[in-house]
Amino acid sequence: MLCLTASSSPSPSPSLPPRPSRPAADRPGPGISVSHSGSSFLFFSFVSGLRSASRRFPDAMPRAQGGGNVRLSAVPAPSSLRWSWPRKAKSKFSVPVSAPRDYTMATAEDGFGDLPIYDLDPKFAGFKDHFSYRMKKYLEQKHSIEKYEGGLEEFSKGYLKFGINTENDATVYREWAPAAKDAQLIGDFNNWNGSGHRMTKDNFGVWSIRISHVNGKPAIPHNSKVKFRFHRGDGLWVDRVPAWIRYATFDASKFGAPYDGVHWDPPTGERYVFKHPRPRKPDAPRIYEAHVGMSGEKPEVSTYREFADNVLPRIKANNYNTVQLMAIMEHSYYASFGYHVTNFFAVSSRSGTPEDLKYLVDKAHSLGLRVLMDVVHSHASSNMTDGLNGYDVGQNTQESYFHTGERGYHKLWDSRLFNYANWEVLRYLLSNLRYWMDEFMFDGFRFDGVTSMLYNHHGINMSFAGNYKEYFGLDTDVDAVVYMMLANHLMHKILPEATVVAEDVSGMPVLCRSVDEGGVGFDYRLAMAIPDRWIDYLKNKDDLEWSMSAIAHTLTNRRYTEKCIAYAESHDQSIVGDKTMAFLLMDKEMYTGMSDLQPASPTIDRGIALQKMIHFITMALGGDGYLNFMGNEFGHPEWIDFPREGNNWSYDKCRRQWSLSDIDHLRYKYMNAFDQAMNALDDKFSFLSSSKQIVSDMNEEKKIIVFERGDLVFVFNFHPSKTYDGYKVGCDLPGKYKVALDSDALMFGGHGRVAHDNDHFTSPEGVPGVPETNFNNRPNSFKVLSPPRTCVAYYRVEEKAEKPKDEGAASWGKAAPGYIDVEATRVKDAADGEATSGSKKASTGGDSSKKGINFVFGSPDKDNK
């Protein structure tokens, strides 16, 4: 039986307007031991999340990161289950997949029995009916668009046809409103009297009007207010903001004032011209999630230009390579965090104009930063006065942007749900993506609320256990899946290096496989179970109750053929009702105990140490990219709360206190410096993009996790009090290892107990090629000093013929102009006395201001001069 989505229409064919002229990258699995559960193919299954799904799913499902019934295990595995790994982190890799096929309409009749995704997981074969139906619908829709619109690329240029545009010597306005009985264009240009500007309607429900230029100038001036007035058919006329409007404003002096559409068509001299090319796509995105409005220190709404000039340099200094901007699309309710969109083509006017946003994106590109936009196509604001919902006047779903009845309303979000089968809805949403990429040079998107799109139940009150029947059945909204396939195909066609991230809490398999293979086409999914694990431990467990195997499992529990973005905390974790991770760790002591002029209390010492460890292990082991929310890199205190009636419209918790990390005598600088170093480490060693990931030790008694990622060996000691001198660490390659990054360095607020100039020579373990005779299944080992609540990354020195110079692989070398030179020197810790065993030389403290620190990690060439 074909797995059909629930629909009011009995026909599986694409839903098209009644037009008279037409018929009605591959990656191998991570080097982690796995245990079988009925299948020889290695997939990671979903493990139940630890709390409800997200800010928009308070009663919904726990978070998943992949389907399947083979669970990841980090215990030693037999040699027959291990992969042979390339020796260099940057080595290319692939998994066996079929050669690319050219699926045509003819093959749609064949049932798609040979989709490449079937080569990835034998269990997909049991759902061939579903995949065949899904691919058939996708190709039918794509073929129809090619036949009647000239292809997806032309179809997605709807913003050049709809809304207000200049065509030759006239201004032309078009609006799809099939339910309207009469329509007018009103605004400043005609004193809001539309009697002289009545519109005409075509056979497809599109209203239009052509207004000739006056004395060679547009009749509707740039930056003038406009609205679409139409007759509902019940005797009432209503005024609505044009659906394709590119700018919308309101009278801020009036409480609850409605929005007006603003015709934005600046003269040539006032248009922003991009000066810088897009940066190349990084091997692994290190994403800085930001909200422009709350990015300033003053208790007010910040602007695009302020963000560009003041915040982007900080992001660059902390060595991120990607910025993800929230709340760009216009939303009348500021406290919605930008997720209740009213005007999809309009930039949020609170922070400036479209030209200001272009300046921001161009400034980011000049700094080598790619820019992603948080796009909301999962739902629309229910606001009828200002938003798209105002075009719904009770008509049937074929004449609306939204489904009717319960299917068109999200009861938890209080918002409207799109009908993705409608022709004009597809045009609207696909053109929306094209508009932001073409006009504003965005480099990709983070799709919000994908789970709600994927399923007819929207994930409400659902708990995903990893059974494939949950993903590929009658609950799947195939129309929405087809839209996302079209969208991903389009975006990567327009910009092959686009980065598109899905926020999905269900863990649907092949969400992040290419459309040609039978997947949905996203590049990455957010690893949403990870922050739940940390929050559960911080709120509900004592430090000695933390399970090392559970932490490792949560971080590595993902489908190895689909990429993930790992994060310890995003904006979700700090909105009102919750706290930032730093505030969970240190709470009220952050108000009094962050001065470096006094000894750190046990709470502050623990908090800073765990803040660094949690973010670092999440980055190093949790995925193929990393994300951090604005301010959390330096342990921003408290929480986020937008101005609202409940807080007397205060902006106090809706800003970022950057000065906390800039003031030299406050300890926030230490967390900021470590964040800079984490990102710099990936710049140097590219471990995030490496497929080599081996967890060799999870010691529950000693609270230690040891793993390899790329060319680095990581040692995390979560024990609150025990130091292990001479702790044995397994590794792959023999040779000499040195410290690459040490969270206990004084410049990161640590105690300087780990020596940075010591050489760690390996010893062979067991019989070569026989893992069961090795140490923790690793053929070599070396010994380290591991103080409590520390994490240290080690790298292997490539031996040369010349005698090594004792300079230390983790020395902080001479900085570039404008940066800070921090040299490693012998220190004596005031609290601990003389440095402990293995600490002949430890790193010093240093300023970690917004200018940043240029971390120069030891290289093989330097160490052997």
Side-chain angles (χ1 to χ4, degrees):
M1 181 182 71
L2 294 180
C3 300
L4 308 178
T5 182
S7 172
S8 58
S9 172
S11 173
S13 61
S15 179
L16 306 177
R19 309 198 175 202
S21 61
R22 68 173 68 157
D26 302 330
R27 295 151 18 92
I32 312 171
S33 307
V34 297
S35 60
H36 281 280
S37 180
S39 170
S40 61
F41 201 80
L42 304 175
F43 266 82
F44 303 138
S45 69
F46 160 65
V47 175
S48 297
L50 301 173
R51 66 174 187 172
S52 56
S54 75
R55 70 195 183 296
R56 292 178 302 281
F57 287 102
D59 302 310
M61 81 299 274
R63 295 172 175 165
Q65 288 177 232
N69 63 2
V70 179
R71 291 188 178 274
L72 176 146
S73 169
V75 298
S79 58
S80 60
L81 291 183
R82 302 190 69 78
W83 287 271
S84 176
W85 291 107
R87 292 181 179 269
K88 292 292 182 181
K90 292 185 178 180
S91 296
K92 299 296 182 182
F93 44 74
S94 63
V95 291
V97 295
S98 303
R101 296 139 165 105
D102 180 18
Y103 289 103
T104 65
M105 292 307 296
T107 61
E109 305 302 323
D110 300 335
F112 305 99
D114 61 343
L115 286 173
I117 56 172
Y118 301 141
D119 299 329
L120 299 175
D121 186 351
K123 288 183 292 183
F124 288 155
F127 300 90
K128 283 189 175 182
D129 284 347
H130 175 89
F131 287 117
S132 295
Y133 174 69
R134 191 165 88 179
M135 182 60 82
K136 183 173 183 289
K137 286 204 70 173
Y138 161 74
L139 288 175
E140 286 177 343
Q141 192 72 284
K142 184 171 177 284
H143 176 72
S144 294
I145 291 172
E146 291 168 351
K147 183 177 181 180
Y148 300 114
E149 301 283 356
L152 269 178
E153 292 184 65
E154 283 300 313
F155 189 54
S156 63
K157 294 179 181 178
Y159 65 90
L160 299 176
K161 176 182 178 182
F162 285 80
I164 304 175
N165 291 284
T166 298
E167 295 182 5
N168 298 320
D169 58 349
T171 298
V172 179
Y173 171 56
R174 296 184 181 91
E175 196 74 71
W176 182 63
K181 305 304 179 184
D182 200 354
Q184 303 171 353
L185 178 62
I186 59 174
D188 292 335
F189 76 100
N190 61 10
N191 294 318
W192 301 92
N193 184 348
S195 59
H197 293 90
R198 297 185 66 178
M199 304 176 69
T200 58
K201 182 181 181 181
D202 68 12
N203 292 332
F204 313 119
V206 177
W207 293 88
S208 64
I209 185 173
R210 181 184 180 90
I211 308 173
S212 298
H213 289 177
V214 179
N215 298 323
K217 295 183 179 180
I220 305 177
H222 161 63
N223 207 18
S224 62
K225 298 177 181 177
V226 293
K227 278 197 172 180
F228 176 61
R229 175 174 288 171
F230 68 94
H231 190 272
R232 302 194 328 178
D234 58 0
L236 295 177
W237 287 80
V238 293
D239 297 348
R240 297 293 184 251
V241 176
W244 298 74
I245 201 71
R246 302 181 190 183
Y247 196 47
T249 61
F250 65 99
D251 187 346
S253 66
K254 297 180 181 179
F255 181 80
Y259 274 74
D260 290 308
V262 175
H263 175 48
W264 193 261
D265 186 24
T268 303
E270 297 178 18
R271 297 186 183 210
Y272 187 84
V273 178
F274 284 89
K275 305 175 182 65
H276 305 281
R278 302 177 190 267
R280 73 166 187 83
K281 186 175 183 177
D283 293 333
R286 299 190 299 271
I287 301 173
Y288 194 89
E289 184 185 35
H291 185 288
V292 172
M294 58 169 288
S295 65
E297 185 138 3
K298 295 180 181 179
E300 61 187 21
V301 179
S302 191
T303 70
Y304 298 121
R305 288 185 176 266
E306 288 170 341
F307 183 91
D309 295 338
N310 301 328
V311 181
L312 285 179
R314 292 179 180 272
I315 300 171
K316 176 64 176 178
N318 275 52
N319 300 307
Y320 289 90
N321 56 33
T322 306
V323 183
Q324 179 180 298
L325 296 179
M326 305 172 60
I328 294 300
M329 305 159 86
E330 187 60 87
H331 48 291
S332 61
Y333 184 43
Y334 189 45
S336 73
F337 234 137
Y339 290 113
H340 278 223
V341 175
T342 45
N343 313 107
F344 285 75
F345 287 81
V347 306
S348 180
S349 59
R350 292 180 182 87
S351 293
T353 69
E355 309 312 302
D356 294 333
L357 178 59
K358 292 174 184 177
Y359 171 79
L360 186 163
V361 175
D362 199 29
K363 181 70 174 288
H365 287 170
S366 75
L367 295 172
L369 297 168
R370 286 166 60 88
V371 188
L372 309 182
M373 192 179 101
D374 204 342
V375 70
V376 186
H377 283 182
S378 51
H379 63 128
S381 171
S382 59
N383 183 327
M384 296 193 68
T385 303
D386 305 321
L388 205 58
N389 193 33
Y391 287 79
D392 190 338
V393 292
Q395 69 268 39
N396 61 57
T397 187
Q398 284 76 27
E399 297 184 340
S400 173
Y401 286 98
F402 310 108
H403 286 294
T404 58
E406 290 186 2
R407 193 180 180 193
Y409 178 74
H410 198 296
K411 62 183 181 181
L412 294 185
W413 298 349
D414 183 29
S415 56
R416 298 304 309 274
L417 300 173
F418 288 105
N419 180 354
Y420 300 103
N422 269 6
W423 192 267
E424 295 302 335
V425 172
L426 288 177
R427 187 199 307 276
Y428 187 80
L429 296 178
L430 292 172
S431 297
N432 190 235
L433 298 172
R434 179 73 179 267
Y435 171 72
W436 292 111
M437 293 179 77
D438 282 0
E439 295 294 313
F440 293 88
M441 294 283 286
F442 278 99
D443 303 295
F445 300 94
R446 177 249 196 206
F447 270 63
D448 181 73
V450 168
T451 305
S452 177
M453 301 171 72
L454 288 172
Y455 307 102
N456 292 311
H457 52 61
H458 309 298
I460 300 174
N461 297 322
M462 289 297 299
S463 179
F464 290 87
N467 189 315
Y468 282 16
K469 293 180 180 179
E470 299 169 335
Y471 305 118
F472 311 122
L474 292 172
D475 286 333
T476 306
D477 188 338
V478 176
D479 290 334
V481 172
V482 167
Y483 161 66
M484 287 184 277
M485 293 169 73
L486 290 168
N488 280 304
H489 174 81
L490 171 70
M491 287 182 285
H492 290 100
K493 181 77 171 178
I494 296 170
L495 181 64
E497 288 202 332
T499 299
V500 191
V501 182
E503 186 213 30
D504 170 42
V505 300
S506 73
M508 175 180 272
V510 304
L511 185 69
C512 300
R513 297 301 297 187
S514 72
V515 174
D516 289 341
E517 293 177 315
V520 184
F522 289 99
D523 297 301
Y524 297 89
R525 61 159 32 100
L526 292 177
M528 301 182 72
I530 295 175
D532 289 347
R533 170 68 68 184
W534 295 125
I535 290 171
D536 175 60
Y537 275 20
L538 293 176
K539 288 185 175 181
N540 304 316
K541 295 184 182 296
D542 293 333
D543 291 2
L544 289 175
E545 294 178 321
W546 289 21
S547 168
M548 301 298 100
S549 59
I551 290 172
H553 179 85
T554 299
L555 292 171
T556 55
N557 180 41
R558 57 185 184 271
R559 301 181 66 84
Y560 70 78
T561 56
E562 300 182 49
K563 295 181 180 180
C564 289
I565 302 293
Y567 63 101
E569 52 182 335
S570 68
H571 68 275
D572 274 342
Q573 281 65 52
S574 56
I575 57 177
V576 64
D578 218 324
K579 303 173 182 178
T580 65
M581 186 167 289
F583 209 57
L584 278 174
L585 285 163
M586 295 174 274
D587 207 69
K588 62 183 180 181
E589 287 202 31
M590 295 191 79
Y591 296 121
T592 59
M594 294 300 285
S595 173
D596 210 14
L597 303 178
Q598 61 189 22
S601 70
T603 297
I604 296 298
D605 191 62
R606 170 185 179 267
I608 292 177
L610 288 180
Q611 167 86 1
K612 293 179 292 186
M613 294 182 70
I614 288 171
H615 285 80
F616 193 28
I617 195 172
T618 298
M619 179 190 199
L621 194 58
D624 311 277
Y626 177 69
L627 178 143
N628 169 71
F629 179 66
M630 178 175 66
N632 291 341
E633 68 276 11
F634 63 84
H636 201 288
E638 302 179 322
W639 55 90
I640 299 171
D641 190 8
F642 283 83
R644 55 189 173 85
E645 186 176 4
N647 65 12
N648 294 319
W649 307 104
S650 171
Y651 284 85
D652 183 61
K653 300 296 188 294
C654 192
R655 60 194 179 106
R656 295 289 88 176
Q657 300 180 59
W658 303 107
S659 59
L660 294 176
S661 65
D662 295 341
I663 298 174
D664 187 59
H665 70 267
L666 294 183
R667 291 188 167 92
Y668 296 96
K669 67 179 182 182
Y670 296 134
M671 292 177 279
N672 191 64
F674 190 72
D675 184 78
Q676 293 174 6
M678 282 168 41
N679 288 317
L681 187 72
D682 183 56
D683 259 343
K684 172 66 179 178
F685 293 99
S686 301
F687 60 87
L688 266 175
S689 60
S690 174
S691 58
K692 179 180 178 181
Q693 178 172 299
I694 302 170
V695 178
S696 61
D697 188 7
M698 298 170 295
N699 193 312
E700 298 292 358
E701 179 183 355
K702 296 183 177 180
K703 300 301 176 189
I704 283 184
I705 299 175
V706 177
F707 62 92
E708 295 161 70
R709 185 74 188 270
D711 291 335
L712 299 177
V713 178
F714 297 82
V715 181
F716 283 76
N717 181 355
F718 282 95
H719 201 285
S721 60
K722 289 188 177 180
T723 296
Y724 305 106
D725 197 352
Y727 192 85
K728 197 172 182 179
V729 174
C731 63
D732 183 14
L733 301 178
K736 180 176 71 175
Y737 286 79
K738 304 194 80 166
V739 171
L741 182 60
D742 167 27
S743 71
D744 197 47
L746 293 178
M747 69 178 304
F748 304 136
H751 301 287
R753 292 166 290 188
V754 177
H756 293 170
D757 61 347
N758 281 5
D759 296 332
H760 302 270
F761 291 95
T762 61
S763 299
E765 295 288 347
V767 180
V770 186
E772 55 267 27
T773 67
N774 298 159
F775 174 73
N776 287 342
N777 273 7
R778 309 311 294 139
N780 294 282
S781 70
F782 60 92
K783 294 183 178 181
V784 302
L785 173 74
S786 182
R789 292 192 181 125
T790 62
C791 48
V792 181
Y794 296 87
Y795 79 103
R796 179 176 174 269
V797 178
E798 295 287 348
E799 295 291 348
K800 299 282 181 72
E802 300 177 37
K803 183 179 179 180
K805 183 179 178 180
D806 187 15
E807 289 185 354
S811 63
W812 314 107
K814 187 174 182 180
Y819 283 70
I820 297 141
D821 183 10
V822 185
E823 290 290 343
T825 59
R826 182 183 175 116
V827 297
K828 188 174 184 178
D829 190 87
D832 297 328
E834 195 69 42
T836 59
S837 173
S839 295
K840 295 179 180 178
K841 185 187 290 184
S843 65
T844 65
D847 181 17
S848 58
S849 70
K850 63 184 179 182
K851 289 185 178 180
I853 298 176
N854 187 24
F855 296 100
V856 182
F857 297 98
S859 65
D861 292 338
K862 177 177 179 179
D863 285 316
N864 290 282
K865 286 182 179 179

